[in-house]
Amino acid sequence: MAKKVAQMIEEQVQFWRLKNSSKATFPASVKHLPIITVSREFGARGAEIATILGHKLGFKVWDKDLLDVISIKLGSNKEYMQSLDENRRSLLEDTIFGFMNQKGTNLNYFIYLVKAIRSIENIGNSIIVGRGANFICRNSNSFHIRVVSPLEKRVKYYAQKEGISSKNSLEIITKKDSERANFITRNFNKNIDASSNYDLVITSGSFDLDTVAEIISTAYTCKITDKEKVLT
């Protein structure tokens, strides 16, 4: 019998725990902590910040490997999942495409995405990057952040990182920001830029990444401590 999404998530978490022995901010007696979701503008380095934060807190970071779990369930490759991740066909096109190609459609992808994210939320001690996770979470204890940065800084950073012109960098960033915003609008009917959708909005262009991670960690600790959200 095929494994359930929750079981696949649990197995990956257990494997990660066996491989990682980093010192966490929280005592070993704390077995379950609310998750953190990271929404980010393209080029704002949100994924890098999530990685730093994961090492600091001793949390597993879910980014591309979340697509691996869904790909296995749908029998599709990661590249195809990536295209569904940030693009949305009409329901009719989606259905026809699914039948013709015998691949997971956007609807099926979304169903498994919800199952995967809620399974991670139930396990806790994790950070989820992107994919509208903050709109899927049901636990009010979960901590949601959005990482932004001035456009000119994102353009400069991405151009240097990829070795491309500023013009090409701007075109890519504009396209990716639009795709991510459309994904949120079409699937959740929400505005990705609305600050009220997050516990914390932080500008990575104003600080070094370690400082950003420290600020997020402090805010997260305040929320779960002040409201006694820690579960043991």
Side-chain angles (χ1 to χ4, degrees), residues 137-169:
C137 290
R138 294 182 293 189
N139 187 345
S140 61
N141 304 345
S142 296
F143 190 70
H144 310 298
I145 70 168
R146 179 155 173 81
V147 181
V148 300
S149 184
L151 180 60
E152 61 273 16
K153 290 189 177 182
R154 292 190 286 141
V155 169
K156 181 179 180 180
Y157 161 75
Y158 193 70
Q160 292 176 343
K161 176 176 178 289
E162 298 297 323
I164 59 178
S165 68
S166 295
K167 179 181 178 181
N168 288 341
S169 177

Coordinates of all heavy atoms in Angstrom, one line a residue, residues 137-169:
C137 N -1.7 26.7 7.2 CA -1.6 26.3 8.6 C -2.9 26.6 9.4 O -3.5 27.6 9.1 CB -0.4 27.1 9.3 SG 1.2 26.6 8.7
R138 N -3.2 25.8 10.3 CA -4.4 25.9 11.1 C -4.1 26.3 12.6 O -5.0 26.7 13.3 CB -5.3 24.7 11.0 CG -5.8 24.4 9.7 CD -6.7 23.1 9.6 NE -5.9 21.9 9.9 CZ -6.4 20.7 9.8 NH1 -7.7 20.5 9.4 NH2 -5.7 19.6 10.0
N139 N -2.9 26.0 13.0 CA -2.5 26.3 14.4 C -2.1 27.7 14.6 O -1.2 28.2 14.0 CB -1.3 25.4 14.7 CG -1.0 25.4 16.2 OD1 -1.4 26.3 16.9 ND2 -0.2 24.5 16.6
S140 N -2.9 28.4 15.4 CA -2.6 29.8 15.6 C -1.3 30.1 16.3 O -0.8 31.2 16.3 CB -3.7 30.4 16.5 OG -3.8 29.8 17.8
N141 N -0.7 29.0 16.8 CA 0.6 29.1 17.5 C 1.8 29.3 16.4 O 2.8 29.7 16.8 CB 0.9 27.9 18.3 CG -0.2 27.7 19.4 OD1 -1.0 28.6 19.7 ND2 -0.2 26.5 20.0
S142 N 1.5 28.8 15.2 CA 2.6 28.8 14.2 C 3.0 30.3 13.9 O 2.2 31.2 14.1 CB 2.1 28.2 12.9 OG 1.8 26.8 13.1
F143 N 4.2 30.5 13.5 CA 4.8 31.8 13.4 C 5.1 32.1 11.9 O 5.8 31.4 11.3 CB 6.1 31.9 14.2 CG 6.7 33.3 14.3 CD1 6.0 34.2 15.1 CD2 7.8 33.6 13.7 CE1 6.5 35.5 15.3 CE2 8.4 34.9 13.8 CZ 7.7 35.8 14.6
H144 N 4.5 33.2 11.4 CA 4.6 33.5 10.0 C 5.3 34.7 9.7 O 5.0 35.8 10.3 CB 3.2 33.6 9.4 CG 2.3 32.4 9.8 ND1 2.6 31.1 9.4 CD2 1.1 32.4 10.5 CE1 1.6 30.3 9.9 NE2 0.8 31.0 10.5
I145 N 6.3 34.7 8.9 CA 7.1 35.8 8.5 C 7.2 36.1 7.0 O 6.9 35.2 6.3 CB 8.6 35.7 9.1 CG1 9.4 34.7 8.3 CG2 8.6 35.4 10.6 CD1 10.8 34.7 8.5
R146 N 7.4 37.3 6.7 CA 7.7 37.6 5.3 C 9.0 38.4 5.2 O 9.2 39.4 5.9 CB 6.5 38.4 4.7 CG 6.8 38.8 3.2 CD 5.5 39.0 2.4 NE 5.7 39.5 1.1 CZ 6.0 38.8 0.0 NH1 6.2 37.5 0.2 NH2 6.2 39.3 -1.2
V147 N 9.8 38.0 4.3 CA 11.1 38.6 4.1 C 11.1 39.5 2.8 O 10.8 38.9 1.7 CB 12.3 37.6 4.0 CG1 13.6 38.3 3.8 CG2 12.3 36.7 5.2
V148 N 11.3 40.7 2.9 CA 11.3 41.7 1.8 C 12.6 42.4 1.7 O 13.5 42.3 2.6 CB 10.2 42.7 1.9 CG1 8.8 42.0 1.9 CG2 10.3 43.6 3.1
S149 N 12.8 43.1 0.6 CA 14.0 43.9 0.4 C 13.8 44.8 -0.8 O 13.0 44.5 -1.7 CB 15.2 42.9 0.0 OG 16.4 43.7 -0.1
P150 N 14.4 46.0 -0.7 CA 14.2 47.0 -1.8 C 14.6 46.4 -3.2 O 15.5 45.6 -3.3 CB 15.2 48.1 -1.5 CG 15.3 48.0 0.0 CD 15.3 46.6 0.4
L151 N 13.8 46.7 -4.2 CA 14.0 46.1 -5.5 C 15.4 46.3 -6.0 O 16.0 45.3 -6.6 CB 13.0 46.7 -6.5 CG 13.0 46.2 -7.9 CD1 12.8 44.7 -7.9 CD2 12.0 46.9 -8.8
E152 N 16.0 47.5 -5.9 CA 17.3 47.7 -6.4 C 18.4 46.8 -5.8 O 19.3 46.3 -6.4 CB 17.7 49.2 -6.2 CG 17.8 49.7 -4.8 CD 16.5 50.2 -4.3 OE1 15.4 49.9 -4.9 OE2 16.5 51.0 -3.3
K153 N 18.2 46.5 -4.5 CA 19.1 45.6 -3.8 C 18.9 44.2 -4.3 O 19.9 43.4 -4.4 CB 19.0 45.7 -2.3 CG 19.4 47.0 -1.7 CD 19.4 47.0 -0.2 CE 20.0 48.3 0.4 NZ 20.0 48.3 1.9
R154 N 17.7 43.8 -4.5 CA 17.4 42.4 -5.0 C 18.0 42.2 -6.4 O 18.5 41.2 -6.7 CB 15.9 42.1 -5.0 CG 15.4 42.0 -3.6 CD 14.0 41.5 -3.5 NE 13.0 42.5 -4.0 CZ 11.9 42.2 -4.8 NH1 11.7 41.0 -5.2 NH2 11.1 43.1 -5.1
V155 N 17.8 43.3 -7.2 CA 18.3 43.2 -8.6 C 19.8 43.1 -8.6 O 20.4 42.2 -9.3 CB 17.9 44.5 -9.4 CG1 18.6 44.5 -10.7 CG2 16.4 44.4 -9.7
K156 N 20.5 43.9 -7.8 CA 22.0 43.8 -7.7 C 22.5 42.5 -7.2 O 23.4 41.9 -7.8 CB 22.5 45.0 -6.8 CG 24.0 45.0 -6.7 CD 24.4 46.2 -5.8 CE 25.9 46.2 -5.7 NZ 26.4 47.4 -4.8
Y157 N 21.8 42.0 -6.2 CA 22.2 40.7 -5.6 C 22.1 39.6 -6.6 O 23.0 38.8 -6.8 CB 21.4 40.4 -4.3 CG 21.5 39.0 -3.9 CD1 22.6 38.4 -3.3 CD2 20.4 38.2 -4.2 CE1 22.6 37.1 -3.0 CE2 20.4 36.8 -3.8 CZ 21.5 36.3 -3.3 OH 21.6 34.9 -2.9
Y158 N 20.9 39.5 -7.2 CA 20.7 38.4 -8.1 C 21.5 38.5 -9.4 O 22.0 37.4 -9.9 CB 19.2 38.4 -8.5 CG 18.8 37.1 -9.1 CD1 18.7 35.9 -8.4 CD2 18.4 37.0 -10.5 CE1 18.3 34.7 -9.0 CE2 18.1 35.8 -11.1 CZ 18.0 34.7 -10.4 OH 17.7 33.5 -11.0
A159 N 21.8 39.7 -9.9 CA 22.7 39.8 -11.0 C 24.1 39.3 -10.7 O 24.7 38.6 -11.5 CB 22.7 41.3 -11.5
Q160 N 24.6 39.7 -9.5 CA 25.9 39.2 -9.1 C 25.9 37.7 -8.9 O 26.9 37.0 -9.3 CB 26.4 40.0 -7.9 CG 26.6 41.5 -8.1 CD 27.0 42.2 -6.8 OE1 26.7 41.7 -5.7 NE2 27.6 43.4 -7.0
K161 N 24.9 37.2 -8.3 CA 24.8 35.8 -8.0 C 24.8 34.9 -9.2 O 25.5 33.9 -9.3 CB 23.6 35.5 -7.1 CG 23.3 34.0 -6.8 CD 22.1 33.9 -5.9 CE 21.8 32.4 -5.5 NZ 21.3 31.7 -6.7
E162 N 24.0 35.4 -10.2 CA 23.9 34.6 -11.4 C 24.8 35.0 -12.6 O 24.8 34.3 -13.6 CB 22.4 34.7 -11.9 CG 21.4 34.1 -10.9 CD 21.6 32.6 -10.6 OE1 21.9 31.9 -11.6 OE2 21.4 32.2 -9.5
G163 N 25.5 36.1 -12.4 CA 26.4 36.5 -13.4 C 25.7 37.0 -14.6 O 26.1 36.8 -15.8
I164 N 24.6 37.8 -14.4 CA 23.8 38.3 -15.5 C 23.7 39.8 -15.4 O 24.1 40.4 -14.4 CB 22.3 37.7 -15.5 CG1 21.6 38.0 -14.2 CG2 22.4 36.2 -15.7 CD1 20.2 37.5 -14.1
S165 N 23.1 40.4 -16.4 CA 23.0 41.9 -16.4 C 21.9 42.3 -15.5 O 21.0 41.5 -15.1 CB 22.6 42.4 -17.8 OG 21.3 42.0 -18.2
S166 N 21.9 43.6 -15.1 CA 20.9 44.1 -14.2 C 19.5 44.1 -14.9 O 18.5 43.8 -14.2 CB 21.2 45.6 -13.8 OG 22.4 45.6 -13.0
K167 N 19.5 44.3 -16.2 CA 18.2 44.2 -16.9 C 17.6 42.9 -16.9 O 16.4 42.7 -16.6 CB 18.5 44.6 -18.4 CG 17.2 44.6 -19.2 CD 17.5 45.0 -20.7 CE 16.2 44.9 -21.5 NZ 16.5 45.3 -22.9
N168 N 18.4 41.8 -17.1 CA 17.9 40.5 -17.0 C 17.5 40.1 -15.6 O 16.5 39.4 -15.4 CB 18.9 39.5 -17.5 CG 19.1 39.5 -19.0 OD1 18.3 40.0 -19.8 ND2 20.3 39.0 -19.5
S169 N 18.2 40.6 -14.7 CA 17.9 40.3 -13.3 C 16.6 40.9 -12.9 O 15.7 40.3 -12.3 CB 19.0 40.9 -12.3 OG 18.7 40.7 -11.0

